[in-house]
Amino acid sequence: MLEGEKMQNYYQKEIETMPVEEMKKLQSEKLVKQVKHVYENVPYYRDLMDNKGVTPDDIKGIDDLYKLPFLTKADLRDAYPYGLLAKPLSDCVRIQSTSGTTGRRVVAFYTQNDIELWEDCCARAIVAAGGTKDDVCQVAYGYGLFTGGPGLNGGSHKVGCLTLPMSSGNTERQIQFMMDLNASIICCTPSYAAYIGETLQEKGYKPEDIPLKAGIFGAEPWTEEMRRGIENTLGIKAYDIYGLTETSGPGVSFECSEQTGMHINEDHFLAEIIDPDTGKVLPEGSKGELVFTSLDKEAFPLLRYRTRDICVLSRKKCSCGRTLIKMAKPMGRSDDMMIIRGVNVFPSQIETVLLNEGYQPNYQIIVDRKGNTDTFDVNVEMTAEQFTDTVSGVTAKEKALANAMKTMLGINPAVHLVAPKSIVRSEGKAVRVIDKRKLHD
Amino acid sequence: MALKQLNIFVENKKGALVEITETLASNEINIRALSIADTEEFGILRLIVNDTELASKVLSEKNYLIKTTEVVGVKIGDAPGKLSTALAVLDKEDINVEYLYAFMARTEKHAYVVLRVADNSQAEKALEDAGYHMITDPDIDKL
C-alpha cells in the first residue's frame, strides 16, 4: 500500500468481499474435503453417517449439506473428551473450554493451523471495528480456558495493534492502563464494558476524556439499549462479535460499521438456519436455529453443529462492501433460555425491561422450585434515582418493575432491589441466572 | 426551614451498620438522631447528622446508595403527653405522618421530633401556628 493511502478496512479483502457464487464454490470444495477428513478420522461421526446411510461420496457440494447428520451439545458430552477429535494429539497444540456453568463442559482442540485461522477471524473483526497497527488494543476478556482472551489477543497481534493482555477483572488497573497507555480499542464482555463505563463515570471521567474509540463486545447476550448505553458512557462505537468454543471461539461472525448484524466468516464456517423442531433447513430470511459446519478446522471439525441460537440470516447488500452473509443478533441461546412455570424466559427480555424502566442492566435471576411451583426472583441493583427514604417507596418501585416484567414475559417475578455493585461479577461476566431446580438426574 | 435527613440503603447482612457508623466516626461526623425502617430484605437507615454533606460524600465513596431528603424538625416539651399534643395539631389539619422519630436535647428539658410528611411547609405552618418552634440544620450542633 502506498504511504498516505487510505487504510483498508478489510483484513482479508479477497475473502471478505468475494462474490457470493465464488464463495459458494469455495465452500463446496472445502466441504467435500472436510467430510472425507471427518469420516476417516472421527469414528463417532462416521457411525452417525453410516446410521443415516450417507457416505462421503454423497456430498458433492454445499447443496448436499442437508444429507449430513446433526451434532448437538449432547453428542459433545457423550464424546468427551476425545471422541470428536480428528487429529492425533501430537498434532494438537491447544485446548480451550467452556465455563461449564450448565454442567456440560466442552473441550475443543486446536492444531497450529486452527489457531492461525481463528486469530485471522478475530483480526477481521478488529479491522472491521476500525483497528489498525496504530491502535492500542486492551483485551479485557478472561485469558485461559475461556476463548475470549486468547482469541482477541491473537487477532490483535495479527492486526499489529499494541496489545494490552489485561484479562478480566481488577477494574482499577484496567482504567489505569487504559488512561496511561491511551487504549483506543477494548475487547471484553458487554456487561464488563458497562461496568468499566460506570466506574469511569463515578470517577468523574466524561466520554471525551476516555481515549477509546471502539469496543468489541461478545460472549453474552446484550441488547441494543445496552449498546447505546455503553457507546454513550465510553464515547465509542460498540461492535458485536459472536462465536462459540465448539467452532473455535469469538470471530465466527463480527459486526461492521453498519451495526446491522454480524458478517459470518463463511469461508471457515458454513451457516444454515433450521427448524429447531423438525431439523428441516429453512430458506434465507427465516427465523430458526443456527447450525454451523466448520470447513477448515483440522483438530475439532464439527459438521452441522446445532448452536441452539435462534436467529435470522441475510444476504442483503452491506454498505461496508463485505459480501459475507450476515446473521442477526441471536434472540437468545436456548442454553440461556429458562422455562419457568411453563413459559420461555430469556435473560435478554429482563434486560430490555430494566433499560426501558431506567435501571442499569445489573441483575440476577434466581429460579427455584417449592413444592410443584417454580419460584422466580429477580434481584436488580438500585440506582440513586430509584432510591427513596420510605419502605413503601422502594416496594412500589419493585412492584412497578415486576409488573413491567410480567407484561413482557407473561409471568410474574418477585423483584428485589439490592445495593449497587452487590451482584457478583465473575471474570467480568455477570452471573445472570441461578437455577436451583433439580429437574434432571 | 426544614431539616436535612440522610437516607442510606442497607442490605440485611452482617456488619453493614458497623461499616457505616465507623465511616462516619472516622470522619468525625456526629449522629444526632437515627431510625431504621427494615423489611426482611433491606433496611433504610435515616440519620440526622451534624454534617450531612460530608456524610453523604464519604458514604457514597464506599458505594452506599444515599439520598438526602428534607424533613420537619420540631421542638416539644419533655413530659408525658407532649408528643400526642403535637401530633394532634397535624391530625386536625389532615396532615398524614409517614414516619417519625425523636431525640432528646443534651441540656434543656426538651425533646425533638423528626417528621416525614408529604408537604413540609404545610406541616411547619400548622405547628408554628400552634406555637411550636422548628429546628433547622444550623441548630443541630447546638441542641
Side-chain angles (χ1 to χ4, degrees), chain A residues 338 340 364-370 373-377 379 433-440:
Chain A
M338 298 158 283
I340 306 173
Q364 190 163 54
I365 299 164
I366 299 153
V367 190
D368 203 347
R369 180 161 286 192
K370 298 239 160 73
T373 312
D374 293 331
T375 60
F376 176 23
D377 292 83
N379 292 338
V433 180
I434 298 175
D435 195 338
K436 297 176 174 169
R437 295 174 296 185
K438 300 259 185 296
L439 304 182
H440 310 289

Side-chain angles (χ1 to χ4, degrees), chain A residues 202 382-395 398 415-422, chain B residues 5 7-9 11 13 37-39 41-44 46 63-67 69 71 98-99 116:
Chain A
E202 279 166 17
M382 194 165 29
T383 62
E385 291 84 65
Q386 282 103 23
F387 180 44
T388 68
D389 64 321
T390 60
V391 170
S392 58
V394 175
T395 48
E398 290 178 334
V415 171
H416 314 278
L417 292 175
V418 298
K421 302 196 172 178
S422 64
Chain B
Q5 173 185 277
N7 306 285
I8 305 149
F9 184 79
E11 281 197 81
K13 60 181 179 205
D38 66 318
T39 69
E41 284 152 0
F42 66 89
I44 299 170
R46 305 168 184 137
N63 284 324
Y64 281 97
L65 209 50
I66 304 289
K67 187 163 211 145
T69 47
V71 289
E98 192 127 16
Y99 58 79
R116 167 68 153 87

Side-chain angles (χ1 to χ4, degrees), chain B residues 76-89:
Chain B
I76 62 168
D78 179 17
K82 296 294 184 194
L83 178 59
S84 69
T85 314
L87 292 177
V89 172

Side-chain angles (χ1 to χ4, degrees), chain A residues 137-365:
Chain A
C137 183
Q138 180 163 1
V139 182
Y141 278 114
Y143 279 63
L145 288 171
F146 176 50
T147 53
L152 270 307
N153 186 86
S156 176
H157 277 227
K158 290 223 165 185
V159 176
C161 301
L162 172 62
T163 309
L164 311 184
M166 303 297 299
S167 196
S168 60
N170 200 339
T171 309
E172 290 295 322
R173 190 176 62 190
Q174 300 276 1
I175 288 172
Q176 195 194 343
F177 274 80
M178 178 189 293
M179 303 307 290
D180 292 353
L181 298 175
N182 282 313
S184 49
I185 297 175
I186 186 164
C187 310
C188 60
T189 60
S191 58
Y192 195 47
Y195 185 77
I196 292 176
E198 274 168 46
T199 312
L200 279 163
Q201 210 168 31
E202 279 166 17
K203 289 182 181 292
Y205 288 106
K206 295 198 171 55
E208 59 269 25
D209 307 328
I210 302 167
L212 295 175
K213 66 173 184 186
I216 300 171
F217 306 124
E220 64 185 14
W222 52 312
T223 57
E224 275 306 310
E225 290 91 333
M226 196 168 167
R227 184 208 303 260
R228 280 194 291 276
I230 295 170
E231 288 188 332
N232 291 337
T233 330
L234 292 175
I236 60 168
K237 200 157 173 168
Y239 297 85
D240 207 350
I241 187 167
Y242 171 91
L244 52 172
T245 310
E246 293 89 324
T247 55
S248 58
V252 170
S253 65
F254 60 95
E255 237 175 13
C256 62
S257 53
E258 211 182 84
Q259 292 182 315
T260 54
M262 293 173 279
H263 289 285
I264 296 173
N265 283 316
E266 58 178 327
D267 54 323
H268 301 311
F269 308 105
L270 181 54
E272 304 168 89
I273 290 288
I274 62 161
D275 180 327
D277 296 322
T278 64
K280 255 183 82 170
V281 179
L282 300 175
E284 190 200 310
S286 313
K287 187 168 101 179
E289 182 180 342
L290 185 60
V291 174
F292 279 117
T293 295
S294 297
L295 294 173
D296 290 301
K297 286 285 290 284
E298 297 174 338
F300 200 67
L302 300 187
L303 303 182
R304 298 197 90 198
Y305 179 67
R306 293 180 61 158
T307 63
R308 314 183 90 175
D309 280 333
I310 305 295
C311 79
V312 178
L313 297 180
S314 162
R315 282 224 181 260
K316 233 176 95 183
K317 199 165 178 259
C318 186
S319 62
C320 75
R322 286 180 185 77
T323 50
L324 299 171
I325 196 166
K326 272 159 103 170
M327 59 182 270
K329 186 189 274 297
M331 287 155 205
R333 190 166 283 183
S334 36
D335 286 356
D336 292 322
M337 190 192 78
M338 298 158 283
I339 300 178
I340 306 173
R341 295 175 210 151
V343 176
N344 294 355
V345 175
F346 287 101
S348 57
Q349 293 173 300
I350 304 272
E351 200 169 298
T352 303
V353 172
L354 290 179
L355 291 157
N356 288 343
E357 299 291 316
Y359 291 81
Q360 293 294 313
N362 299 326
Y363 65 96
Q364 190 163 54
I365 299 164

